[in-house]
Amino acid sequence: MKTIDIRRTCGADFPAIKTILQTTGLAGDWFTQELFMTLLMRNEGFYFVATRNRAILGTIFSSHDGGYFGYIYKLGVLPKYQREGIGSALLQRVIREFKSIGIGWYFGHVDKDNSASLSILAKHGIRTQTRFLMVDN
């Protein structure tokens, strides 16, 4: 397995992250640099990128409520690099960060037909729940 590094996301990562999110169907034209910077500031320390030789291959966005639960809402890896453990490494980093601040309950927002995401989350103990419904406006 080739070595990857996981580091916190910075503003300069926007072009690579936008490419990853658009390539994997996780963002559209609405994902602007201004929006990205706002999200990054509001969720400081909980956005990460996976790199190899300084190239960004994957990203994860997460947040928390300050003490009770954590939320994983974007996990994307460039298709060429999928199935190399990059998504798992990103997810492990976020879980470690949650636990370091006392958050033991975390969940992900996943399309019900996204079997790859559901599988990777399950490998890390995050299971599909049928007792909850998602509601939105």
Side-chain angles (χ1 to χ4, degrees), residues 40-58:
L40 193 58
M41 286 188 305
R42 286 186 183 163
N43 300 289
E44 187 176 355
F46 283 85
Y47 281 33
F48 297 92
V49 292
T51 65
R52 182 179 297 141
N53 299 325
R54 291 198 243 169
I56 297 174
L57 310 180

Side-chain angles (χ1 to χ4, degrees), residues 33-46:
Q33 188 163 11
E34 181 180 2
L35 174 62
F36 173 71
M37 293 305 294
T38 299
L39 293 169
L40 193 58
M41 286 188 305
R42 286 186 183 163
N43 300 289
E44 187 176 355
F46 283 85

Side-chain angles (χ1 to χ4, degrees), residues 1 6 9-10 16 28 30 34 39 42-43 65 101 108 112 114:
M1 181 186 249
I6 307 294
T9 301
C10 66
W30 54 265
E34 181 180 2
L39 293 169
R42 286 186 183 163
N43 300 289
D65 69 351
I101 61 169
K112 66 180 181 174
N114 187 338

